[in-house]
């Protein structure tokens, strides 16, 4: 990764880590507010800790890569691959949170000009289509895992199915959150 990419990745992690920490502090200090909230996040505390753990691993990996490349003059080859895969997992966990909060990119202009019952029916159809898509994506990821099997990663002697498993877990979380929405 270049210096700009490294700095932007670190800033991304710092901002989201602060958001997750603020959420954890909120849950600890104000449980009564969370109990009355309409935006409850199932497994929110556990998911926050999982994402923070992956952020910590990613930060250590990026720091080690930066240190070996710019201080020692010889970059550790495996660090870029690990950073890429950790970022993939964090993106899929974040996508699950976006599904729960309904923050994915969508076009809702049409809903404004339709009569309310028609707009509601269209929104229900979109939700069913989203659930179908996520279920199919989960199935396809399982198929890829079966086909890839124990094929090793490029630099690390781990099976690629581990990475596809992370993607499958992300799709599973998105599917569960879409159904609960």
């Amino acid at each position: 990764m270049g210096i700009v990419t490294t700095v932007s990745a670190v800033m991304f992690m710092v901002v989201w880590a602060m958001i997750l920490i603020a959420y954890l502090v909120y849950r600890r200090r104000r449980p009564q507010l969370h109990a009355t909230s309409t935006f409850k996040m199932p497994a929110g505390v556990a998911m926050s800790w999982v994402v923070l753990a992956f952020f910590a691993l990613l930060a250590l990996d990026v720091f080690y890569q930066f240190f070996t490349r710019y201080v020692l003059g010889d970059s550790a080859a495996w660090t870029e691959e690990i950073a890429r895969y950790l970022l993939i997992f964090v993106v899929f966990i974040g996508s699950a949170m976006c599904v729960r909060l309904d923050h994915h990119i969508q076009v809702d202009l049409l809903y404004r000009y339709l009569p309310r019952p028609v707009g509601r029916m269209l929104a229900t159809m979109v939700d069913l289509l989203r659930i179908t898509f996520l279920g199919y994506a989960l199935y396809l990821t399982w198929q890829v895992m079966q086909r890839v099997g124990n094929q090793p990663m490029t630099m690390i002697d781990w099976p690629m199915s581990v990475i596809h498993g992370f993607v499958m877990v992300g799709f599973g979380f998105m599917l569960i959150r879409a159904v609960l929405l």
Side-chain angles (χ1 to χ4, degrees), residues 79-90:
T79 56
E80 186 172 341
E81 187 173 24
I82 290 294
R84 184 179 318 121
Y85 296 145
L86 285 171
L87 195 56
I88 287 170
F89 186 69
V90 168

Side-chain angles (χ1 to χ4, degrees), residues 28-165:
R28 180 171 295 188
R29 290 187 183 167
R30 306 264 177 115
Q32 71 281 5
L33 286 178
H34 180 71
T36 60
S37 174
T38 56
F39 295 106
K40 293 185 174 125
M41 186 167 56
V45 173
M47 285 269 267
S48 295
W49 283 112
V50 167
V51 172
L52 282 172
F54 275 94
F55 274 166
L57 288 173
L58 187 56
L60 287 172
D61 182 63
V62 168
F63 174 75
Y64 184 74
Q65 181 182 33
F66 183 84
F67 180 77
T68 57
R69 176 174 289 166
Y70 294 109
V71 176
L72 301 180
D74 186 25
S75 180
W78 57 270
T79 56
E80 186 172 341
E81 187 173 24
I82 290 294
R84 184 179 318 121
Y85 296 145
L86 285 171
L87 195 56
I88 287 170
F89 186 69
V90 168
V91 164
F92 274 90
I93 294 298
S95 294
M97 291 179 180
C98 284
V99 168
R100 172 64 180 102
L101 299 173
D102 203 21
H103 284 330
H104 276 287
I105 296 172
Q106 57 190 356
V107 178
D108 58 358
L109 181 67
L110 185 61
Y111 295 124
R112 295 180 190 176
Y113 296 108
L114 291 173
R116 194 165 185 82
V118 175
R120 184 68 196 137
M121 184 180 71
L122 183 61
T124 302
M125 288 176 29
V126 167
D127 289 341
L128 291 173
L129 184 65
R130 177 186 347 200
I131 290 169
T132 303
F133 169 78
L134 292 171
Y136 188 59
L138 185 70
Y139 168 75
L140 288 177
T141 308
W142 175 257
Q143 291 285 319
V144 169
M145 282 178 61
Q146 298 305 309
R147 290 185 182 166
V148 168
N150 290 329
Q151 177 184 349
M153 295 179 192
T154 305
M155 299 301 293
I156 303 165
D157 195 26
W158 290 356
M160 274 302 291
S161 59
V162 170
I163 304 308
H164 291 58

